[in-house]
Amino acid sequence: MSAGETWLQLAYLASAVLFILGLRGLSSARSARRGNGLAALGMLVAVAATLAAQDVLRWEWILAGAIIGASIGVLAATRVQMTAMPEMVALLNGFGGAASALVAGAELLEARADLLNTPVLDMALAVKLVAIVFGSTIGSITLTGSLIAFGKLSGRLGGAPLVYAGQRIVNALLGAGLLLLCVWVGTGNASLLEYAALVGLALLLGVLLVVPIGGADMPVVISLLNSYSGLAACATGFVLGNSGLVISGSLVGASGLILTRIMCEAMNRSLGNVLFGAFGAAPEAAAAAAGGGASAKGYTPEDAAVIFGNASSCVVVPGYGMAVAQAQHAVRELMDLLENRGVEVQFAVHPVAGRMPGHMNVLLAEARVPYEKLVEMDDINPQFPETDVALVIGANDVVNPLAREEGSAVSGMPILDVDRARHVFVIKRSMSPGFAGIQNPLFFNDNTMMIFGDAKGRVLALVDAIKQY
């Protein structure tokens, strides 16, 4: 091994260490910013080492791409709202898959010359062909699957699952055909037209695998697609013989799979049920469970101030409605006010609250809510019966008591037991159901007070009312 190759591998090793430290930092909201910085530094080291050690044919193309990509990244980071972050993550996953598929295709064109001059495949060329097939297939599925996820999250395609008769059979047949094409291309005997058919079938399958999944399961889908993009990048590393890309892709793939498993456990559902269960597919249920004929009672912030004025404990449950209204800073102001009056305030964040893993945690951290106040679901649930006030801000399915009953769309899903608190306030724009498509009986309970309106405006009005109480 030459001195240059030795330094290159040492740089990749250093970047791998930084990636691992970065992932470790992302395990906590308190250290997430530092972890993100370490991971970014690791990628910078890997890219710089690759450019310094490898033969670069056209520097102007690399510089142009870097400038354009960096400009788009800076613009997105400064302009995209937190409510749109899940859609952005979906797009980033798709772009990662597309990049892997393009690199694999380019390498196949180069490998064809070797195939023509090599009567029998040697081990190195065989491994390269397998990696090309894997990168092309997973990358293409990730691209179109992520675009569909983006459309569902942004509302352009609607959040309801799209199902039709014989859907699983069609997907199974397409999957079998794709597998046969993968084997054929992997032998090195396929034409470019047959390779194009493989990519086209993978793109189609990416669409068909995600369209039957409802909006409520999009956080899990994002995690899974993130894993796919990592696996595609890992395959690209084998194609290029780049150990840095193999390491980073493996880390992304493994961490994405782990997060997917955690998300499934948080909903008490298997990955197969998420992918094929069409969660939220029963729109008729939204009208069926409307509180058994009862009507929800609307209250004002002034009514709530009376209860808060006599409370000694409060648990805040944030949901997607808080993100939409950008109410996290108003919630922090409410927390400070209540604590100054001797009220113990805690936050209960459900693992699948929001549209992306950690969505609520990031928002609360942005408002500088102390991390120690965020209590895990298993730890906070036993406290609800002794809690004076539970304040639900824009959450729905994660506090739905129907999860304790058989036969509903959320049956078996672990929920936050807010209905067992002494008083429950729910800030919500309307009585529309959540992603699961069913109404929440919590809204009709005797101990529940509904405060309708924009979350930020209602919380600020509540702050003013408590000050005047």
Side-chain angles (χ1 to χ4, degrees):
M1 182 182 293
S2 65
E5 182 66 20
T6 300
W7 282 108
L8 178 63
Q9 297 306 320
L10 287 175
Y12 287 156
L13 179 61
S15 65
V17 172
L18 289 170
F19 291 151
I20 294 171
L21 292 176
L23 285 173
R24 181 181 180 184
L26 293 176
S27 63
S28 167
R30 179 186 300 172
S31 59
R33 180 174 296 181
R34 183 178 69 252
N36 199 32
L38 289 172
L41 177 60
M43 183 55 67
L44 177 61
V45 170
V47 171
T50 301
L51 292 177
Q54 303 295 325
D55 293 330
V56 177
L57 299 179
R58 300 291 296 271
W59 277 98
E60 57 268 29
W61 285 107
I62 292 178
L63 291 176
I67 292 172
I68 294 173
S71 300
I72 295 174
V74 171
L75 184 65
T78 55
R79 297 284 184 88
V80 175
Q81 298 293 327
M82 266 304 301
T83 49
M85 197 59 66
E87 294 101 281
M88 182 178 177
V89 172
L91 282 180
L92 292 175
N93 290 337
F95 291 158
S100 298
L102 288 172
V103 170
E107 287 298 311
L108 179 64
L109 292 176
E110 183 177 311
R112 283 179 60 82
D114 296 333
L115 290 171
L116 294 175
N117 298 324
T118 306
V120 180
L121 284 178
D122 58 21
M123 182 58 69
L125 189 55
V127 170
K128 187 173 185 177
L129 281 172
V130 170
I132 286 173
V133 169
F134 193 83
S136 300
T137 304
I138 299 299
S140 299
I141 291 175
T142 303
L143 171 60
T144 51
S146 297
L147 291 177
I148 296 299
F150 167 80
K152 284 178 171 287
L153 289 168
S154 62
R156 291 173 172 83
L157 298 178
L162 175 62
V163 294
Y164 55 86
Q167 188 170 46
R168 297 184 185 180
I169 296 176
V170 171
N171 287 350
L173 292 175
L174 289 175
L178 180 60
L179 182 60
L180 290 175
L181 278 173
C182 287
V183 173
W184 178 243
V185 174
T187 63
N189 297 314
S191 65
L192 290 179
L193 183 61
E194 289 165 329
Y195 173 74
L198 181 150
V199 173
L201 202 55
L203 291 171
L204 176 61
L205 197 59
V207 173
L208 297 180
L209 286 175
V210 179
V211 290
I213 303 175
D217 285 327
M218 278 303 115
V220 180
V221 174
I222 288 177
S223 298
L224 187 60
L225 290 171
N226 181 57
S227 176
Y228 286 174
S229 68
L231 295 175
C234 178
T236 304
F238 280 104
V239 170
L240 299 175
N242 187 303
S243 57
L245 199 52
V246 172
I247 294 171
S248 60
S250 299
L251 289 172
V252 173
S255 59
L257 286 175
I258 292 172
L259 182 58
T260 301
R261 180 182 61 80
I262 293 173
M263 299 291 287
C264 288
E265 289 179 351
M267 297 190 299
N268 195 29
R269 301 170 66 206
S270 67
L271 180 58
N273 185 254
V274 170
L275 297 178
F276 308 114
F279 186 44
E284 68 276 4
S295 59
K297 302 174 183 178
Y299 292 84
T300 66
E302 289 72 23
D303 297 324
V306 177
I307 304 297
F308 275 101
N310 296 286
S312 60
S313 59
C314 172
V315 175
V316 180
V317 179
Y320 186 62
M322 186 186 78
V324 171
Q326 291 289 290
Q328 62 269 26
H329 297 285
V331 172
R332 169 61 193 264
E333 186 176 346
L334 174 63
M335 181 196 76
D336 291 338
L337 175 62
L338 291 175
E339 289 189 329
N340 289 337
R341 297 195 171 203
V343 180
E344 180 189 8
V345 181
Q346 299 181 95
F347 290 80
V349 180
H350 194 281
V352 295
R355 307 286 290 278
M356 183 176 67
H359 201 174
M360 298 299 104
N361 302 68
V362 173
L363 286 174
L364 294 174
E366 180 185 332
R368 300 191 182 279
V369 172
Y371 183 68
E372 295 77 12
K373 292 190 172 295
L374 275 62
V375 186
E376 297 287 340
M377 180 171 57
D378 292 339
D379 295 326
I380 199 67
N381 273 344
Q383 300 183 35
F384 277 114
E386 304 300 324
T387 299
D388 291 325
V389 179
L391 176 61
V392 181
I393 306 176
N396 198 328
D397 295 327
V398 297
V399 294
N400 194 332
L402 287 178
R404 305 189 192 112
E405 302 177 9
E406 294 292 335
S408 74
V410 293
S411 291
M413 174 179 171
I415 60 169
L416 292 164
D417 298 331
V418 298
D419 57 318
R420 292 170 178 167
R422 296 189 177 101
H423 301 279
V424 181
F425 290 102
V426 179
I427 298 179
K428 201 173 185 293
R429 286 181 179 271
S430 67
M431 289 298 295
S432 60
F435 283 124
I438 58 175
Q439 192 53 272
N440 191 339
L442 169 72
F443 304 154
F444 307 96
N445 286 355
D446 292 336
N447 65 332
T448 298
M449 301 172 70
M450 302 294 297
I451 304 177
F452 295 106
D454 174 78
K456 183 177 181 179
R458 296 291 84 187
V459 172
L460 290 175
L462 180 57
V463 169
D464 291 338
I466 293 175
K467 288 179 178 177
Q468 297 173 13
Y469 176 74

